[in-house]
């Protein structure tokens, strides 16, 4: 697994560069650069607006007394999409685009969380709390 990640870390930037060169050859360097700038700006604006909506939903969930799990995960997915859009390249933009569509983003989040919880090993320890000055073996006051 670790070797695959290392290879991906080397191969992905090379693949990204190859795609940029090929697109640049087909549509021209200036259109390719414009495409990179437009996707970055548009993605940033979308992430900003949807991030504000996620923040409002987080506050609403907390005000209603519900745990804000969905809005927090939604915000995390938007941050990932934003980071991918800021990385220059068309492949990272293609990976980020599905994360900008709310129903697709929620589907991906559910799948990721299901896999995470399916593989998680959760252990809970509880301890009895005793007030200071009381011995565990002492009788209760009568």
């Amino acid at each position: 697994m670790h070797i695959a990640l290392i290879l991906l870390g080397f191969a992905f930037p090379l693949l990204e560069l190859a795609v940029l060169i090929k697109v640049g050859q087909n549509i021209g360097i200036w259109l390719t650069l414009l495409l990179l700038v437009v996707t970055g700006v548009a993605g940033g604006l979308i992430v900003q607006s949807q991030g504000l909506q996620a923040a409002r939903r987080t506050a609403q969930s907390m005000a209603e007394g519900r745990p804000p799990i969905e809005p927090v995960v939604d915000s995390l997915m938007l941050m990932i999409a934003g980071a991918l859009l800021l990385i220059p390249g068309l492949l990272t933009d293609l990976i980020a685009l599905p994360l900008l569509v709310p129903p697709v983003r929620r589907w991906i989040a559910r799948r990721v969380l299901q896999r995470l919880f399916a593989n998680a090993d959760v252990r809970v320890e509880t301890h009895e709390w005793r007030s200071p000055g009381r011995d565990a073996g002492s009788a209760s006051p009568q």
Side-chain angles (χ1 to χ4, degrees), residues 51-99:
L52 291 173
Q53 290 175 7
R56 277 190 225 109
R57 287 198 340 257
T58 299
Q60 181 181 3
S61 291
M62 292 174 62
E64 293 172 357
R66 292 183 290 124
I69 295 169
E70 182 186 337
V72 168
V73 170
D74 209 35
S75 297
L76 176 64
M77 299 292 271
L78 282 169
M79 285 191 293
I80 292 170
L84 288 170
L85 287 167
L86 290 176
I87 297 171
L90 299 174
L91 293 178
T92 53
D93 291 347
L94 287 175
I95 294 169
L97 287 177
L99 296 176

Side-chain angles (χ1 to χ4, degrees), residues 4 9 13 26 28-29 37 45 52 60 85 90 92 101 112 129 135 138:
N26 287 333
I29 190 167
V37 169
L45 292 173
L52 291 173
Q60 181 181 3
L85 287 167
L90 299 174
T92 53
V101 180
V112 168
W129 182 80
D135 185 1
S138 68

Side-chain angles (χ1 to χ4, degrees), residues 17-40:
L17 186 59
V19 168
L20 281 173
I21 290 171
K22 194 65 175 168
V23 170
Q25 288 173 345
N26 287 333
I27 67 171
I29 190 167
W30 296 112
L31 282 177
T32 303
L33 290 174
L34 180 64
L35 181 63
L36 289 174
V37 169
V38 167
T39 58

Side-chain angles (χ1 to χ4, degrees), residues 70 73-74 77 98-99 101-114:
E70 182 186 337
V73 170
D74 209 35
M77 299 292 271
L99 296 176
V101 180
V104 176
R105 181 174 59 238
R106 290 186 191 108
W107 181 82
I108 292 170
R110 273 195 305 274
R111 299 283 301 183
V112 168
L113 289 175
Q114 284 172 350

